[in-house]
Amino acid sequence: MTSILGISAFYHDSAAALIVDGRIVSAAQEERFTRRKHDPDFPAQAIAYCLREARLEPKDLDYVAFYEKPLLKFDRLLETYFAFAPAGLASFRQAMPVWLRNKLYMRRKLKTELRGAKQAKFIFTEHHESHAASAFFPSPFDEAAILTIDGVGEWSTATLGMGEGNRIQLLREMKFPHSLGLRYSAFTYYCGFKVTSGEYKLMGLAPYGKPQFTDLIRKHLLDLRPDGSFRMDMAYFNYCQGLTMTNERFHRLFGGPPRSPELPIEQRHMDLAASIQVVAEEIIMSMARELHRLTGKKNVVLAGGVALNCVANGRLLREGPFSNLWIQPAAGDAGGALGAALFAWHQLLEKPRQTGQSDSQSGSFLGPQFSDKEIENALTLRDLPSQRFEDEAALLKLVVDAMSDGKVVGWFQGRMEFGPRALGARSILGDARNPAMQSVMNLKIKYRESFRPFAPCILRERAADYFDIQPETESPYMLLVAPLLKEHRLPLSEAQGNTMAHDPDLRQRVNIPRSGVPAITHVDYSARIQTVDEARHGRLYRLLKMFDQHTGCPMLVNTSFNVRGEPIVCTPQDALKCFLATDMDLVVLGDFVVDKKQMAHLPSAAEKAEHLAAFQPD
Ligand SMILES: [Fe+2]
């Protein structure tokens, strides 16, 4: 038996993954255990969980694979700072102690933290190798082209490669500072959102805008070449030498200083979001064309933070040049832990790889699960009245009725998801047809204001009835955006059209029903879809099936089980805490249901506020 532990740490979203004889046994992000979002520290608890799942101890490990080469990265930092000295000195001084402490001595740190792993050999893979391995090895394809794009690894910011059988090969790379990820982040920063977590918001803002800055971006910021590579004019950016992403020259070009987060979003910001989205898609499409020319493969696999740009993914699938697409659900750096471990097994140990009908990611349900006993204990601890259902059909019927009635339901089932999305194991569900659902879920459950609609989960076999996708397309990881079919769109009245075009409050715009499923329909009629099938999703599939039978609607709103700024819940205790701190009506944990209606004492406003105060808004 060979056990390999993969680790990503010390940058953003630390994680661990364990593979035993090539099978992915467990994977989880550290934030879920420490309850600190995007926790970058050494993933001690995630590692402990991964080993526990396989009933192993550190001494049983044969290999520990770390997702990047610390010295290569240190080298890039030094070179960058020297190239920009003395302008870069301030940020150099600020960044260096952290780097010295965590990165340069990473090998030593890993060994101390894992001192129990006495037999294990330590392996360091390159950052983009880890991403590429995480994209190809778990995919259902024997052969595929590989595209990885993110902010920055050691030196590479994007790589084109291919995988065949049990081997991957990187063919081309783009190097720092020319980076699609960092440029997208620069616009994220400029539009007043948080870098590395606000990119989603920028993508969600794009449908409100017109892409009228694309020419300006192409002319000044970017030299895009026919082979998909590009150079950026670094005179407009500040991320090499400073502590911000953009500089004065950038601000002059786009007509003002960066938006500070508390100021309103103006049309200019929406147009910028639309413009950078168009340019990002252009770059991704031209990289894909070049990759297709280089490899001649009909399949493509994606990873790296930019692979979470679901709008670009949807376009790539619709417009080619590839016929099939698979995306690593933990596309960001957390997935690097899985990639590093798989790289060690297939590429370094030369172990064969088998592909089948499905991928080997198991729906990305790779985290901890909890027994009935553990759930019962958590309920007793909080003294909550609950009902236990032996009969699944009766449980599902109760949930279907509650949701049709406008209730919001916490849904806690089986193993926790690996990756940033809730996929039906730690989710909050509601009726997508309900016109109030978008604002209820945002204000009363998430405690945030949002101009973005929610994402739907939909029966796989019914997805093409609603969205412009091929009947065989699946999106089990919620990584594709697709347009709602014309026959489901509602015409707007003149007044609604006016609101849609001009209302400065974007929530007024998003709340105008544009379809029979308004909670999940964006202002441009797009939706980020998760297809649900019985093999991967079990009980969630059966819930959707029953909801469809009763209402004729095969989809539900599926959002993550948390409040704003909180990592997705992991344990039954986390779930109950979050349930009590919000206006969620019901929570279903395994076979147990807690209904707020049956509770004698509801939590006070002060108790709710206390939970919220533990987390920083994104
Ligand atoms: Fe990365």
Side-chain angles (χ1 to χ4, degrees):
M1 194 175 81
T2 308
S3 313
I4 307 174
L5 177 70
I7 295 176
S8 76
F10 307 132
Y11 177 56
H12 184 248
D13 225 1
S14 292
L18 183 73
I19 66 169
V20 177
D21 289 338
R23 196 173 67 84
I24 305 170
V25 174
S26 43
Q29 290 131 277
E30 185 70 359
E31 61 160 29
R32 305 290 162 88
F33 303 95
T34 59
R35 312 304 302 150
R36 207 180 127 213
K37 200 155 189 179
H38 304 305
D39 196 334
D41 284 347
F42 183 80
Q45 296 194 53
I47 292 172
Y49 155 68
C50 284
L51 291 170
R52 204 160 61 233
E53 187 71 44
R55 295 171 202 282
L56 294 179
E57 290 180 43
K59 66 172 172 43
D60 305 317
L61 287 170
D62 299 288
Y63 297 90
V64 174
F66 191 74
Y67 85 128
E68 61 182 13
K69 293 197 154 112
L71 284 174
L72 261 181
K73 189 161 180 173
F74 183 67
D75 186 50
R76 166 175 70 75
L77 281 168
L78 274 186
E79 271 196 46
T80 308
Y81 283 119
F82 280 125
F84 287 90
L89 203 62
S91 67
F92 181 85
R93 276 205 183 131
Q94 212 171 79
M96 241 349 89
V98 182
W99 285 101
L100 286 173
R101 196 168 65 240
N102 280 339
K103 317 255 163 158
L104 192 57
Y105 298 117
M106 192 131 37
R107 188 180 287 262
R108 191 196 295 168
K109 188 167 170 73
L110 275 174
K111 292 220 159 155
T112 353
E113 295 278 358
L114 280 163
R115 53 190 162 268
K118 294 209 177 354
Q119 310 294 323
K121 290 193 183 67
F122 284 71
I123 293 165
F124 295 81
T125 57
E126 283 185 25
H127 189 102
H128 275 264
E129 266 172 3
S130 306
H131 278 317
S134 79
F136 178 65
F137 291 132
S139 81
F141 309 135
D142 279 328
E143 296 185 3
I146 305 174
L147 181 58
T148 75
I149 315 174
D150 70 355
V152 60
E154 291 112 0
W155 275 107
S156 303
T157 52
T159 54
L160 311 184
M162 68 178 177
E164 289 174 336
N166 67 343
R167 310 213 53 82
I168 60 170
Q169 199 189 338
L170 301 185
L171 306 166
R172 280 220 189 133
E173 59 176 7
M174 277 189 41
K175 288 192 168 182
F176 187 83
H178 307 289
S179 161
L180 178 54
L182 286 177
R183 193 163 31 147
Y184 206 87
S185 298
F187 279 87
T188 302
Y189 161 81
Y190 184 69
C191 291
F193 304 114
K194 255 192 195 168
V195 169
T196 68
S197 62
E199 279 75 4
Y200 256 114
K201 293 186 190 166
L202 194 69
M203 188 176 75
L205 187 62
Y208 291 99
K210 293 196 179 56
Q212 47 192 351
F213 293 107
T214 46
D215 285 341
L216 210 59
I217 294 174
R218 284 194 207 103
K219 188 159 167 241
H220 292 279
L221 302 188
L222 175 80
D223 172 20
L224 179 61
R225 295 162 188 181
D227 68 356
S229 69
F230 59 85
R231 294 195 68 76
M232 288 160 62
D233 186 343
M234 295 314 294
Y236 291 92
F237 296 92
N238 198 28
Y239 56 72
C240 288
Q241 66 273 45
L243 297 173
T244 58
M245 297 296 291
T246 55
N247 63 18
E248 270 310 310
R249 202 159 161 197
F250 186 103
H251 308 161
R252 272 201 303 277
L253 187 63
F254 294 108
R259 180 178 77 92
S260 70
E262 60 283 355
L263 291 179
I265 296 170
E266 297 163 22
Q267 191 59 44
R268 188 167 69 92
H269 303 115
M270 304 173 212
D271 294 344
L272 276 166
S275 308
I276 189 65
Q277 180 64 32
V278 165
V279 175
E281 287 170 28
E282 267 173 25
I283 293 174
I284 293 171
M285 295 303 286
S286 81
M287 281 181 176
R289 279 190 296 272
E290 175 68 3
L291 181 61
H292 188 254
R293 195 188 64 74
L294 280 173
T295 62
K297 304 288 184 208
K298 66 179 200 304
N299 307 319
V300 67
V301 295
L302 260 58
V306 179
L308 295 170
N309 191 311
C310 320
V311 180
N313 298 343
R315 226 186 117 184
L316 187 58
L317 189 64
R318 278 194 301 281
E319 296 176 27
F322 296 98
S323 326
N324 305 302
L325 167 69
W326 192 85
I327 306 156
Q328 166 56 239
D333 281 356
L338 180 60
L342 289 168
F343 187 87
W345 175 253
H346 291 298
Q347 193 99 354
L348 303 177
L349 299 173
E350 300 184 10
K351 299 293 185 187
R353 166 175 172 264
Q354 251 135 36
T355 51
Q357 274 278 304
S358 182
D359 59 56
S360 61
Q361 187 87 16
S362 306
S364 223
F365 300 114
L366 299 168
Q369 66 179 338
F370 298 86
S371 66
D372 286 349
K373 190 81 214 134
E374 288 168 299
I375 293 172
E376 217 169 357
N377 286 344
L379 291 165
T380 314
L381 213 66
R382 290 202 171 251
D383 198 18
L384 289 174
S386 67
Q387 199 183 349
R388 183 179 184 168
F389 287 79
E390 303 282 342
D391 174 16
E392 188 188 74
L395 169 73
L396 298 183
K397 179 69 173 41
L398 178 116
V399 177
V400 164
D401 288 345
M403 286 190 299
S404 317
D405 216 21
K407 302 279 196 309
V408 178
V409 178
W411 184 254
F412 181 103
Q413 299 290 335
R415 297 185 69 179
M416 184 179 69
E417 300 88 347
F418 179 49
R421 303 273 80 84
L423 301 169
R426 304 288 184 271
S427 288
I428 298 172
L429 307 175
D431 188 347
R433 300 170 305 160
N434 190 325
M437 198 46 71
Q438 201 271 356
S439 62
V440 167
M441 274 197 176
N442 273 313
L443 298 177
K444 297 191 164 177
I445 314 287
K446 298 279 188 169
Y447 295 104
R448 66 181 179 201
E449 296 185 333
S450 179
F451 52 80
R452 294 178 300 160
F454 287 99
C457 58
I458 182 166
L459 288 173
R460 183 186 160 180
E461 62 271 24
R462 298 267 274 129
D465 297 344
Y466 278 83
F467 301 102
D468 182 12
I469 54 169
Q470 297 299 317
E472 68 277 7
T473 298
E474 56 172 26
S475 173
Y477 305 118
M478 209 185 255
L479 286 170
L480 287 180
V481 163
L484 187 76
L485 291 174
K486 293 233 160 51
E487 62 257 41
H488 294 289
R489 300 182 186 185
L490 293 177
L492 298 184
S493 69
E494 206 183 309
Q496 287 174 325
N498 258 330
T499 306
M500 192 65 93
H502 304 296
D503 200 311
D505 184 350
L506 301 185
R507 290 162 308 164
Q508 299 299 331
R509 299 196 208 178
V510 77
N511 282 328
I512 293 174
R514 291 159 308 279
S515 75
V517 277
I520 59 95
T521 311
H522 210 329
V523 294
D524 63 350
Y525 299 98
S526 65
R528 176 160 56 90
I529 57 177
Q530 179 195 12
T531 59
V532 174
D533 57 82
E534 183 144 38
R536 283 193 184 92
H537 302 100
R539 184 171 272 184
L540 178 66
Y541 176 85
R542 295 188 289 279
L543 178 69
L544 278 167
K545 198 90 187 159
M546 192 185 279
F547 192 78
D548 191 20
Q549 278 157 8
H550 280 77
T551 65
C553 175
M555 72 178 94
L556 290 167
V557 171
N558 177 7
T559 184
S560 51
F561 201 143
N562 57 359
V563 299
R564 60 101 226 72
E566 179 185 16
I568 297 177
V569 299
C570 176
T571 64
Q573 289 88 331
D574 299 336
L576 290 174
K577 226 173 138 189
C578 181
F579 170 68
L580 294 173
T582 66
D583 286 346
M584 226 181 288
D585 300 286
L586 295 181
V587 64
V588 185
L589 302 122
D591 297 337
F592 294 85
V593 178
V594 185
D595 187 338
K596 286 228 174 91
K597 267 197 325 236
Q598 260 126 47
M599 287 170 52
H601 301 287
L602 290 175
S604 67
E607 285 168 306
K608 289 181 176 176
E610 195 188 315
H611 179 71
L612 212 59
F615 308 106
Q616 293 292 317
D618 304 284

